[in-house]
Amino acid sequence: MDQLTTQLTIYDLSNHQVLPTQVVDLDMTMSKSADTLIAFIDDCIKKSTIDKERFLGIGIGMPGFINAEKGMNYSFMQVEKDISLQDYLSKKIGLPVYIDNDSSLIALAELNFGEARNLSDVLVVNIGWGTGLGMIINGKLYRGSSGYAGEFSHIPLSNSNTLCSCGKRGCLEVETSLLIMVQKAEKAVRNGEETSLKALFKDKSKSHADHFLNAVVKQDPLAISILAEAAFQIGKGLATLIHILNPERIVLSGRGAKAGKMLLPPIQQALNEFCIPRIAEQTEIMFSTLSEEAELLAAASLMVENSLFN
């Protein structure tokens, strides 16, 4: 799940999809969003024609401040008093449900299936509507003492006076999130700048984020300049993390990683400017090979680990 769109698929235990990915527009800030999610899940189970008794459970990756042990999301989808979101969903759907932060789960997917396999210390950056981080330390997903580790987007590196969604100023997210990039592109289009986005944004079959990333891939000058500004700030943040954690690899993942090689020059420029060379040269930067499936595999991994190994 991201703040505006939810994807769902069904895997067997060999990681084969047995239901093509289903997508629904779901605004997580709306009051009835949990019930909308339940209806979507029930509909997908019916569509699969698989008996509900054959399901091991449901794993959900979502943004927000999440305590995975308690099954609570303190940012989105508040439900009945004195019941966790996880328990509420499980009760209504009739299957075990497990929730966790989306960026942590993307890191888990990279550890199990992707570019963090067989490595000990890896940072996985989730470039999406926000800018998240999952950390693999000593070969395991690191959550911190309360489960909130990895709030990369709230490092105070921004000079902008814009208020972040967390309520603070100076957060990295106000300059690096895909949401901000799209807003800048929309403003440029309204101001009459010449760009392919002018026509693309009229196409309502895809989100503006998808149109923006497609424009980047096709080397639209405006889209590239907006992306470069955000990627440079991400690079500044990564320089901080490299100095603290000395990772062997950084994996760029999430929806925004679709921009591919366009992200690297500004990130590398920031590392050259702000990172000690002796430390920076020990860290390899790679793109996720799991692409958009990373989040789905991650949610499945969460469910499997909880239902089979606990």
Side-chain angles (χ1 to χ4, degrees), residues 73-239:
N73 187 333
Y74 294 101
S75 303
F76 299 105
M77 301 183 79
Q78 303 302 308
V79 291
E80 297 172 3
K81 189 177 181 181
D82 299 326
I83 184 171
S84 70
L85 174 63
Q86 181 170 287
D87 289 343
Y88 181 82
L89 296 174
S90 181
K91 178 183 176 182
K92 294 289 186 178
I93 298 169
L95 287 170
V97 174
Y98 305 96
I99 69 171
D100 206 341
N101 175 266
D102 53 350
S103 297
S104 292
L105 288 187
I106 288 175
L108 184 63
E110 294 295 340
L111 178 63
N112 291 334
F113 310 108
E115 299 300 335
R117 281 179 298 179
N118 304 317
L119 298 179
S120 294
D121 300 293
V122 181
L123 303 179
V124 181
V125 181
N126 176 18
I127 305 171
W129 290 117
T131 309
L133 177 72
M135 296 183 286
I136 306 298
I137 296 178
N138 293 328
K140 296 180 180 179
L141 181 65
Y142 179 74
R143 300 180 185 276
S145 62
S146 303
Y148 304 135
E151 289 299 329
F152 176 56
S153 62
H154 300 293
I155 295 176
L157 287 177
S158 171
N159 294 320
S160 169
N161 199 38
T162 303
L163 198 65
C164 180
S165 59
C166 73
K168 303 295 184 181
R169 299 186 190 277
C171 293
L172 190 65
E173 182 168 306
V174 302
E175 293 189 48
T176 62
S177 72
L178 190 55
L179 178 64
I180 295 299
M181 292 187 234
V182 169
Q183 288 176 351
K184 287 182 177 180
E186 291 170 340
K187 181 178 180 180
V189 168
R190 289 195 300 271
N191 289 340
E193 292 197 35
E194 289 302 320
T195 168
S196 63
L197 289 167
K198 187 182 298 185
L200 289 173
F201 282 166
K202 294 178 181 178
D203 176 8
K204 304 302 181 182
S205 65
K206 295 181 180 180
S207 71
H208 281 197
D210 288 328
H211 285 314
F212 175 79
L213 291 171
N214 287 335
V216 168
V217 172
K218 293 180 180 179
Q219 301 187 15
D220 177 89
L222 173 68
I224 289 175
S225 67
I226 292 172
L227 179 86
E229 290 176 1
F232 182 81
Q233 295 300 323
I234 290 173
K236 284 181 69 175
L238 293 180

Side-chain angles (χ1 to χ4, degrees), residues 25 32 59 66-67 77 180 201 297-298:
D25 292 331
K32 296 293 185 180
I66 295 176
N67 186 314
M77 301 183 79
I180 295 299
F201 282 166
L297 282 169

